[in-house]
Structures are given as structure tokens and as C-alpha cells.
């Protein structure tokens, strides 16, 4: 009985924000008379928030190391602008343009990482400067104008869908097949993990609970793909997001690098004396953020089908909010990539739901602010218990 | 004379899951120095928190009677108003403010919110005089030493018209000289009629200064002794503290010292990292043989930690010159990894700041310095990691519910075991231990000593830095004395004693 209680209470902590997300979804589903979860709108939510999720993943790593990056919105805008020049004005091949832009993001990250890691300037200052520098450079590159339209190949990055290789119909069969495939892979992974746990004599959850978990996750995956299948299927950007989430979750949870990043954020002195190359690690986390900011800028430009001087405005705040709602702590050392995604989705669903209800941008801002504060207060309360 | 100033009767305090205090009684006479002693987690600090109102009335059971009135403190301000002042183990001074500002912080000499600086400075001067500090009241706290900071804390207590002064481990961060000063000061105050409660692990100093000693164990009062009347000895107290007889403070060891020199430092000179003109270490020569435990004795500021850290991958200092030899071959450690790869480990002095990732689990801390051992191509084998961590936990007897427990929740002794375990996991040949038993209780100390002995028996070479001379004398085969950045002696166990060591440790070099 105590075991059950422990299980519930520890999981409420772990999945607090997931539960909150589910609550918010249900709330808006009711308030919008069911519009929120229509196939069209679900697809919209994903596409509207994709660039914030990309930023939130990078921001999570930055905050785990105990730093902050205020420049990501400006960097995204700057990279978008450069993409406009490369692809529209100079007519470079799309793939070359994209690679150059990601490289540019890496260089920008290296520039900021250099000042933070090797010059010991607080990241707040370095990236505040970066926010101004790259916003300014965006205007320089665009000469104050908007560059449009982008070539089709580029736009598909953020606005196209996987084609249905089984031939069209009301329902995208291919999407459903992918859902089933994913479920099978997932179940196989879980069973393998459980076998190894049993082999090493670790504590495992009871069999019924294990099966219940498998059924639940499988259900979620398939309902989700089924909903998407009723519209246009799986957007390319969802594939990018999925790969990023899986990749970064693996990096942070299962690799030496990930463990070093957590250690560095938890106690930089102890980490250094344990052989973690703290400066180098911090530097690379900033490089990583630069690349993800560039990717975010590209997705946004593609979605807008234009490079504009105002792009990426306040993105940094959305990304930081997402990371914090998702469980990051400004003292460093805590947070998960999955949490950042949930945090971004909480903000995204709030935005979308309130827009559907016709609530003005003024009230939306205020409510989002309150939710951010409330989420952190809830977390603090929970930890003090 | 023997008038009771404070009586705590039947105090019980329960935290979720733990009974921290169980019917504790404490009686303190007017004008005495009363020592409170017990292992970490015995309930000393909790008891003092109940007394000072940190744990407010209603959250505990029992009565507090101070100067014949029953007290029900709701917070620390109420107890301070009656003259009960507590000085915590971690100093609560603000480094960027001046001595005067710190002393009157929260108690500003002000009228209508406007501070009277002249009055503040004059009163600070008087207070500093009382504690024997010759410092400018406007000096910033960050510019004075730890010993002086401790005295400023006491001056601050005096400014509050203190009747009962409580000191929680006041000498744990001080060297012998500063400790001596502080204890003398307490005796001086006693003459003036002040009562103090002293919490400490250092039995010698307690026996020297205190009039009565109360021993706590597992949240219960074991005994209250009068020091003179009961002819108290360390052995009696230790027996009460741990609840068992410790035949010897230091465990048995099977000597396994080989003639082979495993690690040697030659002509090692180091300069201050910021002020590169200032030389911290001068031509240090030390060596350690296989299976040998070598001590380094030095006062605070002698350069002990600086020596260890500069060797360990140049983690301290600038303009480092000299040579390192491992197994007879010259090696250079550009960074910590080089040192670890060459089989050198450094267990740092301050486990909370330099040893542990406190918010991380026992497991993650244990494996951090040698993740490659549980990884393949930089990808962690988490199952193997758990197995390794479990086996270490059992081997060195870390008392934690599971290896997933955060290290912040462990007691000092168990935290220290985790740090030691972390370095044992790198399988080093040479372990540099910097104050391995600071701030941990007698029982845990014994276990750490046992571990160190076992490591030596296995043929590891140990360099042990400590400010507790009895510890060095009890554990080491050979002891170097370090004074003002120079090695002043290399004494065999047979020729070393506290007096000779102290003489070499205080040897001065003029410039």
C-alpha cells in the first residue's frame, strides 16, 4: 500500500506538468466546443510551436549548465534574414543554403560561448549584447525590408507533409502505419529494458503496471497519428522535432557528455575537480544553442515564407518560459528535454486555445504570465514538501 | 552562583518519518560554559533550533524555562530579545559589507530610519576591543580571515546584549591558534558572568574550557557531567556518544609498505593565481612509497590545499614550476584528466563545495570521475553503472536508503564516504586526502580511517592533509611539516609528536 502511495506521489512530481497539460487541453476542448482537438487544429498547434520547441530544447541545456541565453530570438531572425539573402537574392541551392545557415548558427554560438566560458563574462550580459548585435545585423542584412518568397523546397521544411505512399483517401494510411510501427518499436524497447532489469536483479514495476503503461503509451501514439491522418498526415517538421527530442533525451540521459553537463550545472567546482572539462563543455552547449536557434529561424522563415526584420521577437522569453515550466531551475543542474517540450506545449496550447476563444492578445499575455508564475510556484511548493 | 539560567524539559521534536528529539532534558547554570556533544544527527542542532525559536512553539513538545519564565518563542527575534543568541556553523556575514555594517545588520543604530554612522563606528570599535580584534570597523568582511570573521560574529552577538551565547562548531574552520584565541575569549566572557553553550566535535577543547558536558545520542540525553567533579576523560565521552567502547580511536592496520617510491614531487613552486608576484609554495620536495600513508601538517594558510590542488592537474595557481614523477618516470598533469589517467586522485577539502554534486544521486556522484568505466563509446551502460554503484555502496558502507538518494540528504560522514568512493572508483595508485574527516563524528571518522588503512594495505599510496595533529600522528607513517609554503620537516612516525610538529609548522622564514 505504501509502495502504491510512493509510486503515485513520486510520479505526480515527475509528471506534474504532463498532468497540467492534459488538464489545459481538456479545459480548452470544452471551452472551444471541441475545436481544439480537431485534426486541422492539432496540426496547427504542432506547426505553430515547432520553432519554440526547437529553441526550448537548446535553452534547457543552457539553463541546466546554470546559464541563460537571451539572444536566441535575434539569432533566429538574423539566420532567417541570411537565409533570405542566400536562397532568394543569390538563388543558392536549398540544401547548401540550409547547411550554411546552420554553420552560421554554430559560429554565433561559438562567439557567445567564447565570451562566457573563456572570458568569464556572465551569460546574461553576453547574450543581452548578442540580442542587440544580431537584431541590428538582421536589419543590416535585410536593409529594413522583407525578403520573399522562398523557394518551394525550403518552405516544405516547415509547411509540408509526408506524402501518402498508399495513395490518397479520406484517411492518410501511411500515417497510421507509421503510428503502428512506432508503437511496435516502443514496445520492443520497453521489453528489452525490462529483461535487462530483471537480469541485473533491479527493482521493476509489477507486470500489470508495466502492461498498463505499454497500453497507455501505445494508445496515445496511435490516437495521435490517427488524428493527424484525418488531416494531411505527418508534417516534416514533426519528424525533425521527434528526432531532436529522442536525440537530446539520449544525449542527456545516456551519454558521458550529458552526465558531464548535469554535473557542471550542479556544482561547477566539484565537476571540474572530477575531471569534467567545464569550460569546453559550456562552450559547446552554447554552440549547440546557436545551431538550434538557426534551425528555429529557418523553420520560422519557411513558415512565414519571408525573412522579416521583426522575426523572432520575444522568442527568447517563450523558450525560457517553456524550459522553466518544464522543470528547469536557474540554479542549474536540473531539467529534462522532455520537460522543455511539455513546457512549450503548455504555452502553445494556451495561446492556441485562447485565440480560438477570441481572447485578445492583451489578455493572452497577462494570462500566460500568470501561468508561468503559477507553474514555478507549484514546483517550489512541491519541493518544499 | 549555581543558579539555573536555562532549563529545557522533556523536549521532543518529530520530523516526517524521524524522531529527531526524544524527551531531551538540558539544564544550564548561570555563568558556566556548557558543552553539548554528540554524533552528527544526534539532535544537537535541532535542540538549539528549538531553543532559539527557529522551530517555533507548537512544533515541539516540552517546556523551555529561561531565567525562571516559561518561553514560547515564535521566531528567532523573540529569543534574541531575551538575550539568547546563536552563532551558526556556517557564518552568516555578508562579505561585501563592512565589519560595522555587519555587526549592526538588522539592529541599525538609526533614528527614523536614518543611520547614525558615527555612533555605529564608535560602538563597533568598543565591541571589537572586547573580542580582542584590532581592525578598522569599516574594513570589508571579505578582506579578513576566517578566525577574525568568527570573532566578528561574536562581537555581533555581544551587540545584542547577549545573556546566553550558543556557538555551533565555532572552531571547525579555524586553525589551532585561532581556536585557542576563541576559547580563551569564551573563558574571559565567563569571568564577566556570561553563560555559553558550546557545540563541538573536538573533545580536547571541550574538556579544557567547559564546566559541564551534556551528551546526546540518537535524539536522547545520555548524561550530563560536571567536568571537574566527574574527572571526565575523552574515553568516557566517546563511549557515551557512540554507545560502544572504542578501544582505540584508530583502527588496526596490516603494514604493507614497499621501498618503491610511487609518487614524487620535486622543486615544486607555485604562485598566487591573481597576484602572480606572490609565491605561495617554495621548492617543495615530497615523496610517497607504495602502501605508505604520508601526512602533511600545516596551519591554515601554510599552502596545504594549494599544494594538493596545484599537483592535481594545475587546479590552483600560476607560474607553476617543478617536476612530478610517477613510478620513477616524469609526468605532467595539464588538467585533472591527466592526473586521473596517471592514477592520482584528490579528495578535496570542502566536500559540499568541491566534492559533491549535492542535488545529484549517490550513484551519479560515485561514477562521475570515471564514467568511461561504465561507458562504451561515450554511451553509458546504465545497468552496469547501477551494479558498480551498488557494490561500492556496500563496500564502503554508505548509509543511504538507495543509490538514487540525493547526496544532499546524507549525513556529513556518509557524504565524505561518497567522495572517497568516487575516487576509489577511478582505481588510483596515489590518493591525496585533504582534511578527510573534517566536521564528521567520531563513529564516521573511525570508518573513514579504516577505509584509508585498507587502501594502504592494498598497496595504494596515501597523502593525508589534516589540521588535526592527533589524527596525523595516529594514521601516518611519515609526516611532512609545511610552514609558509615550505617543507620544514620530514619526520618519521617514531620521532613525531604534537610539540615537535607544532614547532616546525610555525617556523618562520622572514620574507
Amino acid at each position: 500500500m505504501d509502495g502504491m502511495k510512493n509510486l503515485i506521489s513520486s510520479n505526480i512530481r515527475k509528471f506534474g506538468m504532463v498532468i497540467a497539460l492534459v488538464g489545459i487541453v481538456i479545459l480548452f476542448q470544452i471551452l472551444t466546443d471541441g475545436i481544439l482537438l480537431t485534426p486541422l487544429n492539432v496540426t496547427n498547434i504542432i506547426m505553430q510551436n515547432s520553432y519554440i520547441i526547437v529553441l526550448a530544447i537548446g535553452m534547457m541545456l543552457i539553463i541546466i549548465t546554470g546559464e541563460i541565453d537571451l539572444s536566441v530570438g535575434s539569432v533566429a531572425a538574423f539566420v532567417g534574414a541570411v537565409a533570405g539573402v542566400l536562397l532568394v537574392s543569390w538563388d543558392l541551392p536549398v540544401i547548401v543554403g540550409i547547411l550554411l545557415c546552420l554553420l552560421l548558427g554554430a559560429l554565433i554560438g561559438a562567439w557567445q560561448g567564447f565570451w562566457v566560458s573563456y572570458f568569464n563574462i556572465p551569460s546574461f550580459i553576453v547574450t543581452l549584447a548578442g540580442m542587440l548585435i544580431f537584431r541590428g545585423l538582421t536589419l543590416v542584412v535585410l536593409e529594413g525590408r522583407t525578403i520573399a518568397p522562398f523557394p518551394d523546397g525550403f518552405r516544405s521544411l516547415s509547411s509540408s507533409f509526408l506524402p501518402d505512399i498508399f495513395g490518397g483517401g479520406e484517411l492518410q494510411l501511411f500515417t497510421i502505419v507509421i503510428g503502428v510501427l512506432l508503437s511496435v518499436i516502443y514496445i520492443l524497447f520497453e521489453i528489452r529494458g525490462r529483461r535487462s532489469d530483471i537480469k541485473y536483479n533491479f527493482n521493476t514495476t509489477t507486470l500489470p503496471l508495466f502492461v498498463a503503461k505499454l497500453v497507455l503509451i501505445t494508445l496515445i501514439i496511435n490516437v495521435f497519428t490517427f488524428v493527424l491522418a484525418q488531416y494531411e498526415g505527418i508534417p516534416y517538421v514533426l519528424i525533425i522535432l521527434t528526432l531532436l527530442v529522442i536525440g537530446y533525451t539520449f544525449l542527456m540521459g545516456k551519454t558521458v557528455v550529458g552526465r558531464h553537463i548535469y554535473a557542471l550545472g550542479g556544482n561547477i567546482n566539484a565537476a571540474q575537480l572530477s575531471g569534467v572539462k567545464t569550460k569546453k563543455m559550456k562552450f559547446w552547449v552554447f554552440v549547440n544553442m546557436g545551431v538550434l536557434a538557426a534551425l528555429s529561424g529557418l523553420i520560422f522563415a519557411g513558415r512565414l515564407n519571408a525573412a522579416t526584420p521583426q522575426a523572432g521577437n520575444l522568442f527568447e522569453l517563450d523558450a525560457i518560459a517553456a524550459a522553466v515550466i518544464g522543470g528547469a531551475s536557474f540554479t542549474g543542474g536540473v531539467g529534462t528535454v522532455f520537460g522543455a517540450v511539455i513546457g512549450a506545449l503548455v504555452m502553445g496550447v494556451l495561446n492556441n486555445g485562447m485565440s480560438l476563444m477570441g481572447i485578445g492578445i492583451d489578455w493572452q499575455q497577462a494570462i500566460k504570465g500568470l501561468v508561468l508564475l503559477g507553474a514555478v510556484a507549484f514546483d517550489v511548493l512541491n519541493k518544499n514538501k | 552562583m549555581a543558579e539555573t539560567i536555562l532549563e529545557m524539559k522533556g523536549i521532543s521534536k518529530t520530523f516526517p518519518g524521524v524522531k529527531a528529539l526524544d524527551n531531551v532534558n538540558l539544564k544550564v547554570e548561570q555563568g558556566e560554559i556548557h558543552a553539548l556533544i554528540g554524533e552528527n544527527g544526534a539532535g544537537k542542532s535541532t535542540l538549539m533550533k528549538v531553543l532559539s525559536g527557529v522551530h517555533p512553539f507548537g512544533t515541539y513538545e516540552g517546556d523551555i524555562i529561561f531565567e525562571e519564565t516559561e518561553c514560547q518563542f515564535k521566531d528567532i527575534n523573540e529569543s534574541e530579545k531575551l538575550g539568547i543568541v546563536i552563532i551558526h556553523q556556517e557564518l552568516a556575514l555578508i562579505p561585501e559589507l563592512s565589519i560595522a555594517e555587519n555587526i549592526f545588520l538588522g539592529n541599525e543604530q538609526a533614528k527614523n530610519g536614518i543611520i547614525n554612522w558615527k555612533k555605529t563606528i564608535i560602538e563597533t570599535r568598543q565591541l571589537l576591543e572586547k573580542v580582542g580584534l584590532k581592525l578598522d570597523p569599516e574594513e570589508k568582511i571579505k578582506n579578513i580571515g576566517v578566525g577574525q570573521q568568527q570573532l566578528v560574529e561574536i562581537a555581533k552577538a555581544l551587540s545584542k546584549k547577549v545573556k546566553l551565547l550558543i556557538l555551533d562548531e565555532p572552531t571547525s574552520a579555524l586553525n589551532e591558534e585561532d581556536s585557542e584565541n576563541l576559547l580563551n575569549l569564551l573563558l574571559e566572557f565567563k569571568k564577566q558572568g556570561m553563560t555559553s553553550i558550546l557545540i563541538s566535535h573536538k573533545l580536547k577543547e571541550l574538556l579544557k574550557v567547559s564546566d559541564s558536558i551534556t551528551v546526546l545520542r540518537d535524539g536522547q540525553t545520555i548524561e550530563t557531567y560536571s567536568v571537574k567533579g566527574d574527572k571526565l576523560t575523552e574515553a568516557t565521552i566517546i563511549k557515551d556518544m557512540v554507545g560502544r567502547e572504542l578501544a582505540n580511536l584508530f583502527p588496526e592496520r596490516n603494514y604493507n609498505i614497499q621501498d618503491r617510491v610511487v609518487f614524487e614531487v620535486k622543486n615544486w613552486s607555485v604562485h598566487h593565481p591573481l597576484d602572480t608576484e606572490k609565491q605561495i609554495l617554495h621548492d617543495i620536495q615530497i615523496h610517497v612509497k607504495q602502501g605508505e600513508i604520508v601526512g602533511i601538517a600545516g596551519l591554515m594558510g601554510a599552502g596545504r590545499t594549494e599544494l594538493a590542488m596545484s599537483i592535481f592537474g594545475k587546479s590552483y595557481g600560476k607560474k607553476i614550476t617543478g617536476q612530478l614523477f610517477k613510478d620513477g618516470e616524469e609526468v605532467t598533469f595539464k588538467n585533472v584528466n591527466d592526473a586521473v589517467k596517471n592514477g592520482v586522485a584528490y579528495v578535496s577539502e570542502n566536500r559540499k563545495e568541491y566534492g559533491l554534486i549535492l542535488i545529484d544521486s549517490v550513484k551519479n556522484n560515485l561514477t562521475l570521475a570515471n564514467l568511461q568505466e561504465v561507458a562504451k563509446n561515450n554511451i553509458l551502460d546504465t545497468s552496469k553503472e547501477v551494479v558498480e554503484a551498488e557494490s561500492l555502496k556496500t563496500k564502503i558502507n554508505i548509509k543511504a536508503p538507495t543509490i538514487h538518494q540525493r547526496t544532499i540528504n546524507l549525513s556529513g560522514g556518509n557524504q565524505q564516504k561518497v567522495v572517497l568512493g568516487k575516487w576509489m572508483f577511478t582505481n588510483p595508485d596515489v590518493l591525496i586526502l585533504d582534511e578527510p574527516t573534517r566536521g564528521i563524528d567520531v563513529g564516521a571518522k573511525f570508518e573513514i580511517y579504516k577505509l584509508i588503512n585498507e587502501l594502504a594495505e592494498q598497496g595504494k599510496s596515501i597523502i593525508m592533509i589534516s589540521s588535526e595533529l592527533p589524527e596525523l600522528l595516529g594514521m601516518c607513517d611519515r609526516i611532512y611539516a609545511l610552514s609558509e609554503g615550505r617543507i620544514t620537516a620530514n619526520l618519521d612516525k617514531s620521532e613525531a609528536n604534537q610539540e615537535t610538529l607544532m614547532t616546525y609548522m610555525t617556523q618562520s622564514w622572514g620574507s
Side-chain angles (χ1 to χ4, degrees), chain B residues 346-382:
Chain B
Y346 169 61
V347 176
S348 55
E349 171 183 30
N350 184 334
R351 60 180 165 270
K352 284 186 182 157
E353 258 181 63
Y354 295 99
L356 292 171
I357 317 287
L358 286 169
I359 54 169
D360 230 335
S361 66
V362 171
K363 176 192 68 143
N364 288 5
N365 274 286
L366 282 174
T367 55
L368 180 62
N370 193 15
L371 280 173
Q372 294 302 343
E373 179 68 27
V374 290
K376 218 185 220 173
N377 302 324
N378 285 319
I379 293 165
L380 297 172
D381 179 345
T382 37

Side-chain angles (χ1 to χ4, degrees), chain B residues 172-351:
Chain B
S172 71
L174 303 188
N175 60 33
E176 305 240 352
E177 196 187 336
D178 283 341
S179 305
E180 189 86 24
N181 276 342
L182 185 90
L183 296 175
N184 286 336
L185 191 66
L186 281 186
L187 290 172
E188 186 60 35
F189 288 155
K190 186 179 127 184
K191 272 189 209 147
Q192 296 163 17
M194 192 167 78
T195 317
S196 14
I197 297 179
L198 185 58
I199 300 177
S200 173
H201 280 119
K202 298 186 182 169
L203 302 182
K204 273 223 172 59
E205 64 182 39
L206 289 184
L207 283 172
K208 208 159 88 189
V209 298
S210 50
D211 302 294
S212 341
I213 294 186
T214 296
V215 184
L216 290 184
R217 182 173 79 227
D218 302 331
Q220 290 175 320
T221 329
I222 300 303
E223 190 64 74
T224 297
Y225 297 101
S226 148
V227 173
K228 285 194 192 79
D230 293 332
K231 292 201 179 99
L232 203 55
T233 60
E234 282 186 46
T236 327
I237 304 178
I238 290 172
K239 195 180 128 206
D240 278 347
M241 278 170 70
V242 298
R244 62 181 180 272
E245 194 111 27
L246 281 182
N248 196 332
L249 279 177
F250 303 98
E252 291 289 320
R253 168 171 159 213
N254 300 315
Y255 289 88
N256 176 25
I257 305 176
Q258 310 290 322
D259 278 335
R260 199 163 70 86
V261 171
V262 172
F263 190 63
E264 189 165 13
V265 179
K266 275 190 184 165
N267 307 320
W268 196 253
S269 292
V270 176
H271 289 76
H272 194 275
L274 301 176
D275 179 6
T276 52
E277 290 301 300
K278 195 170 153 196
Q279 193 166 353
I280 301 292
L281 294 167
H282 306 259
D283 291 324
I284 302 287
Q285 323 271 0
I286 56 172
H287 70 270
V288 56
K289 293 178 197 161
Q290 186 177 346
E292 191 183 31
I293 304 180
V294 169
I296 295 180
L299 298 172
M300 197 158 280
R304 304 166 308 184
T305 299
E306 290 80 355
L307 172 61
M309 288 190 39
S310 62
I311 293 172
F312 193 61
K314 303 195 173 161
S315 301
Y316 171 87
K318 285 265 167 68
K319 291 206 284 189
I320 302 175
T321 54
Q323 293 165 293
L324 302 175
F325 294 89
K326 172 82 198 307
D327 297 322
E329 279 176 45
E330 181 164 4
V331 285
T332 44
F333 301 159
K334 280 201 299 286
N335 52 43
V336 172
N337 277 318
D338 286 350
V340 175
K341 265 183 221 143
N342 277 289
V344 177
Y346 169 61
V347 176
S348 55
E349 171 183 30
N350 184 334
R351 60 180 165 270

Side-chain angles (χ1 to χ4, degrees), chain A residues 116-133:
Chain A
V116 173
S117 308
Y118 297 101
F119 241 78
N120 287 327
I121 301 180
S123 53
F124 190 94
I125 304 298
V126 171
T127 58
L128 183 63
M131 185 178 175
L132 299 170
I133 293 169

Side-chain angles (χ1 to χ4, degrees), chain A residues 352-366:
Chain A
N352 181 278
M354 288 192 288
S355 296
L356 288 179
M357 286 171 66
I359 295 174
I361 200 86
D362 42 3
W363 276 107
Q364 283 195 26
Q365 291 259 9

Side-chain angles (χ1 to χ4, degrees), chain A residues 196-197 200 202 250 253-257 259-260 262-263 266-267 269-277 332-334, chain B residues 312 315 335-337 352-357 359 364 367-369 371 375 378-380 382-383 385-387 422-423:
Chain A
S196 119
D197 278 359
Y200 281 106
F202 294 164
F250 183 78
K254 290 271 187 184
T255 70
V256 173
V257 170
R259 191 61 68 72
H260 281 184
Y262 278 115
N267 182 346
N269 294 323
Q272 195 180 358
L273 282 176
S274 301
V276 176
K277 289 178 177 144
V334 191
Chain B
F312 193 61
S315 301
N335 52 43
V336 172
N337 277 318
K352 284 186 182 157
E353 258 181 63
Y354 295 99
L356 292 171
I357 317 287
I359 54 169
N364 288 5
T367 55
L368 180 62
L371 280 173
N378 285 319
I379 293 165
L380 297 172
T382 37
S383 309
E385 191 188 9
V386 170
V387 172
K422 172 171 86 173
W423 289 108

Side-chain angles (χ1 to χ4, degrees), chain A residues 111-351:
Chain A
W111 157 262
Q112 307 204 95
F114 166 76
W115 293 109
V116 173
S117 308
Y118 297 101
F119 241 78
N120 287 327
I121 301 180
S123 53
F124 190 94
I125 304 298
V126 171
T127 58
L128 183 63
M131 185 178 175
L132 299 170
I133 293 169
F134 298 110
R135 182 61 62 188
L137 290 181
T138 307
L139 292 169
V140 171
V141 167
L142 292 175
E143 293 165 343
R145 293 168 300 143
T146 295
I147 296 181
F150 278 103
D152 283 348
F154 181 73
R155 278 173 52 209
S156 63
L157 177 71
S158 44
S159 359
S160 296
F161 298 82
L162 268 188
D164 191 354
I165 53 170
F166 298 126
E170 279 297 291
L171 214 56
Q172 289 257 338
L173 271 180
F174 187 45
T175 302
I176 291 176
V177 171
I178 287 178
V180 174
L181 268 177
L182 280 178
S183 321
V184 172
I185 294 173
Y186 167 74
I187 291 172
L188 286 178
F189 250 98
E190 283 286 326
I191 290 178
R192 213 186 66 164
R194 190 178 163 83
R195 276 214 188 117
S196 119
D197 278 359
I198 291 171
K199 191 179 102 194
Y200 281 106
N201 242 338
F202 294 164
N203 282 335
T204 45
T205 45
T206 55
L207 193 64
L209 225 66
F210 179 69
V211 172
K213 183 182 156 198
L214 287 188
V215 170
L216 186 70
I217 303 277
T218 310
L219 206 66
I220 291 174
I221 293 176
N222 286 290
V223 167
F224 183 61
T225 48
F226 182 73
V227 170
L228 290 181
Q230 290 172 51
Y231 186 58
E232 300 254 7
I234 296 176
Y236 281 122
V237 73
L238 181 61
I239 299 173
I240 297 178
L241 288 179
T242 312
L243 290 178
L244 285 178
V245 171
I246 293 174
Y248 279 94
T249 302
F250 183 78
L251 177 83
M252 295 307 284
K254 290 271 187 184
T255 70
V256 173
V257 170
R259 191 61 68 72
H260 281 184
I261 292 175
Y262 278 115
L264 151 70
N267 182 346
I268 188 163
N269 294 323
Q272 195 180 358
L273 282 176
S274 301
V276 176
K277 289 178 177 144
T278 50
K279 285 177 192 286
K280 194 173 141 192
M281 206 51 96
K282 232 176 219 183
F283 174 79
W284 282 106
V285 169
F286 271 93
V287 172
N288 175 67
M289 180 78 253
V291 174
L292 289 179
L295 179 60
S296 166
L298 292 176
I299 296 174
F300 186 72
R303 187 173 154 73
L304 215 61
N305 196 14
T308 73
Q310 296 85 31
N313 226 349
L314 298 183
F315 277 15
E316 58 281 344
L317 297 187
D318 280 339
I320 293 168
V324 169
I325 290 177
S329 153
F330 275 111
T331 47
V334 191
T336 59
V337 171
F338 182 68
V341 174
I342 296 298
L345 285 177
V346 166
M347 293 301 253
V349 172
L350 274 175
N351 270 340

